[in-house]
Amino acid sequence: MEKKKWKTAISWHFDKEAYVRGYKLKDLIGNLTFSQAIYLVLTGNLPDERKTKMMDAILITMIEHSIAPPSVIAARAVISGGNPIHVGVGAGVLAFGKVHGGALEDAMKLLQENIDKKPEEVVEKFFNEKKRIPGYGHRYYKEGDPRTQKLFSIAKNLGFYGKYCDFALKIEKEIEKKKGKKLILNVDGAVAAVASELGFDWKIGEGLWIVGRIPGLVAHTYEEYTLEKPFSKRLDEEKEAEYIGVPPRELEL
Ligand SMILES: CC(C)(COP(=O)(O)OP(=O)(O)OC[C@H]1O[C@@H](n2cnc3c(N)ncnc32)[C@H](O)[C@@H]1OP(=O)(O)O)[C@@H](O)C(=O)NCCC(=O)NCCS
């Protein structure tokens, strides 16, 4: 058989009919919830009822969280410059990084690669290397991230609170012991633990985050587009910034 240049297991046409992960696309429409379809397209399998509820909880946890995150600021600024929604959403996605969104993937990696180690060993290594531990700490939540608490209680009810959730909380305790200060398990860390319980590979972590947060970014870009004037004044003001450059001077050539 002729060797093809590409391979895919995601979707295909058979007799001009579109199939996704082996199922007719038209059969999925009206029969699956959006979360079930997302799980199917990402993993290749249909989720059972427990997985569906856990998947719903994960995606809703990530959907939106205020106007302050870098992705929202970037997305709204780009719309404000006179661009359409897809450009604003794209800019928001590009603002995801190590401390915003990307922490989910890094936290999944940390949990999955170190699950057989002692939590103190893992924390020690990050501290010795002066690296931040992904999934811990939060700008506002200093005593506990309410999203983490809710997600873990759902995971317990559905039978998904397992070794990764337990390990994530042990690391939180160990950080407090070593640093003498609480750095709470944040939403990225909590989603990382539950997604690992569901069997997601850490390499899809950033993708999971993007899937979860895109609706929030679309809402923000649409709001900026319809509610604010272009070249938004708040982006044009020097009020909130401090000038630390050289004082005005003459150009002498
Ligand atoms: C989210 C984050 C940016 C919040 O930062 P913050 O509350 O402003 O915390 P600060 O930057 O003021 O840091 C406070 C102290 O805790 C330390 N710290 C904060 N988060 C840390 C982490 N994840 N691992 C190790 N140390 C951390 C800082 O180094 C600092 O130490 P110092 O007082 O000895 O200098 C930060 O905790 C972080 O980078 N976390 C890791 C990435 C992550 O999980 N992001 C997802 C956020 S939902």
Side-chain angles (χ1 to χ4, degrees):
M1 204 168 114
E2 185 201 349
K3 198 166 182 305
K4 299 285 178 76
K5 289 180 187 160
W6 282 26
K7 289 197 242 345
T8 182
I10 300 168
S11 53
W12 204 250
H13 282 92
F14 294 100
D15 293 332
K16 297 193 175 161
E17 175 88 43
Y19 285 75
V20 175
R21 296 294 193 182
Y23 297 107
K24 281 183 187 153
L25 176 58
K26 71 175 181 216
D27 289 346
L28 304 182
I29 301 168
N31 286 313
L32 295 194
T33 67
F34 194 37
S35 291
Q36 286 174 322
I38 290 171
Y39 185 92
L40 173 68
V41 88
L42 294 182
T43 68
N45 300 306
L46 280 173
D48 60 16
E49 204 185 325
R50 284 187 319 122
K51 280 188 182 159
T52 298
K53 285 190 175 155
M54 200 66 251
M55 197 65 194
D56 262 335
I58 287 182
L59 292 172
I60 294 172
T61 301
M62 296 188 289
I63 198 162
E64 171 59 14
H65 195 235
S66 99
I67 200 167
S71 57
V72 176
I73 294 169
R76 294 187 76 129
V78 164
I79 293 292
S80 184
N83 291 292
I85 284 184
H86 76 281
V87 184
V89 171
V93 169
L94 289 177
F96 294 148
K98 289 281 167 211
V99 294
H100 174 40
L104 168 59
E105 182 163 312
D106 289 348
M108 284 173 79
K109 184 170 194 268
L110 172 134
L111 294 173
Q112 291 176 21
E113 288 188 344
N114 295 287
I115 189 70
D116 295 325
K117 292 188 190 143
K118 290 194 174 115
E120 53 268 35
E121 217 182 290
V122 177
V123 173
E124 184 90 45
K125 188 164 186 291
F126 272 90
F127 279 17
N128 285 345
E129 290 172 3
K130 300 204 181 326
K131 283 189 187 153
R132 290 195 172 203
I133 308 180
Y136 296 87
H138 198 272
R139 197 133 290 174
Y140 305 130
Y141 304 131
K142 299 298 178 191
E143 287 307 313
D145 188 326
R147 299 166 296 177
T148 297
Q149 290 152 2
K150 187 72 195 270
L151 202 58
F152 273 18
S153 98
I154 294 169
K156 272 183 189 150
N157 289 338
L158 293 172
F160 286 112
Y161 187 96
K163 60 180 184 178
Y164 292 108
C165 296
D166 187 53
F167 192 62
L169 287 179
K170 283 190 174 138
I171 289 184
E172 183 188 54
K173 276 206 184 103
E174 202 52 44
I175 295 175
E176 189 173 1
K177 239 203 253 170
K178 284 224 157 51
K179 192 153 177 79
K181 177 180 166 173
K182 205 166 182 169
L183 288 175
I184 55 97
L185 179 64
N186 62 39
V187 67
D188 289 33
V191 172
V194 179
S196 300
E197 302 286 357
L198 280 173
F200 280 102
D201 175 9
W202 66 261
K203 293 191 193 84
I204 205 166
E206 189 122 25
L208 265 184
W209 173 265
I210 291 170
V211 171
R213 190 47 77 88
I214 287 275
L217 285 178
V218 171
H220 277 287
T221 49
Y222 175 71
E223 186 178 79
E224 182 72 31
Y225 192 38
T226 53
L227 205 69
E228 304 288 346
K229 285 188 186 152
F231 209 132
S232 165
K233 274 266 175 51
R234 72 183 179 277
L235 304 169
D236 191 27
E237 283 170 345
E238 292 172 356
K239 273 189 213 151
E240 298 209 24
E242 182 189 350
Y243 179 68
I244 55 165
V246 292
R249 53 183 162 173
E250 295 301 324
L251 179 62
E252 286 166 15
L253 296 172

